[in-house]
Amino acid sequence: ELEFVMRYFDSDKSGKVSLEEFYKGMHGKMSRQRMEFVRDIFMSLETIAGRQTSGGGQYGKASREVMLDLEAMMDCYNSVAHPDVVSGAISEPEAQGQVMEAWANGAVEGLVSWVEFLNYYKALSACVADDREFLEGVQSTWSLPSHTETGVFRAGTSRLLDA
């Protein structure tokens, strides 16, 4: 029985269950609503910080992937709204550093892929049970231009918060 529990929770196969793995195992997969919301944020950031990169696609075919420039992304990050800054547990620079560190070791130095962006928010999602709290928390930490400035339709983001 213990082996089954370890296989379920130990997603990185380290032989240990981290707090993040435990939360993820207890909360389950990220809901479609949350995933769509995170996608909307990524797409909005793409207009500001996006870069096309070439890469090996599925089945060995070349593909183009949009990746976000980490420095340009961080210009849009609103660390004052980070929950630990709001609670006084850490400073704004510490929050900025934590977020930078989370994406610093991606597949391409200085760039963040959609999968890396989503995985960051999947881990965060596992720690926040309430959908509204998650959505508002994510939205408040990004200072993004409106649809009229970027051409990106973000009505879905507002719709999700209205639900």
Side-chain angles (χ1 to χ4, degrees), residues 10-55:
D10 185 20
S11 60
D12 67 1
K13 309 297 184 228
S14 66
K16 300 176 184 174
V17 176
S18 69
L19 188 56
E20 181 181 308
E21 289 172 318
F22 178 75
Y23 281 139
K24 186 177 178 182
M26 293 303 291
H27 192 267
K29 296 187 183 246
M30 183 184 232
S31 72
R32 182 178 177 156
Q33 178 186 29
R34 290 180 183 203
M35 196 171 300
E36 288 175 1
F37 188 81
V38 169
R39 185 200 63 222
D40 286 349
I41 298 290
F42 185 88
M43 289 172 58
S44 293
L45 285 166
E46 179 184 342
T47 65
I48 300 161
R51 281 200 203 163
Q52 292 284 330
T53 61
S54 296

Side-chain angles (χ1 to χ4, degrees), residues 3 18 30 42 75 77 131 145 149:
E3 286 179 35
S18 69
M30 183 184 232
F42 185 88
D75 288 342
Y77 188 74
D131 281 341
E149 294 173 33

Side-chain angles (χ1 to χ4, degrees), residues 95-140:
Q96 190 98 4
Q98 287 178 0
V99 174
M100 287 277 294
E101 186 178 317
W103 284 313
N105 298 318
V108 179
E109 187 176 340
L111 299 177
V112 179
S113 71
W114 160 242
V115 171
E116 292 163 343
F117 191 81
L118 178 61
N119 286 340
Y120 174 83
Y121 281 106
K122 280 183 176 179
L124 180 63
S125 178
C127 301
V128 181
D130 183 71
D131 281 341
R132 185 169 201 80
E133 181 182 344
F134 175 81
L135 300 174
E136 288 175 349
V138 172
Q139 184 177 45
S140 68

Side-chain angles (χ1 to χ4, degrees), residues 35-86:
M35 196 171 300
E36 288 175 1
F37 188 81
V38 169
R39 185 200 63 222
D40 286 349
I41 298 290
F42 185 88
M43 289 172 58
S44 293
L45 285 166
E46 179 184 342
T47 65
I48 300 161
R51 281 200 203 163
Q52 292 284 330
T53 61
S54 296
Q58 196 173 19
Y59 311 114
K61 297 178 183 175
S63 69
R64 307 282 294 162
E65 178 180 9
V66 173
M67 298 187 83
L68 304 177
D69 179 275
L70 183 56
E71 292 291 332
M73 270 176 62
M74 295 312 294
D75 288 342
C76 299
Y77 188 74
N78 182 19
S79 57
V80 73
H82 186 290
D84 290 339
V85 172
V86 172

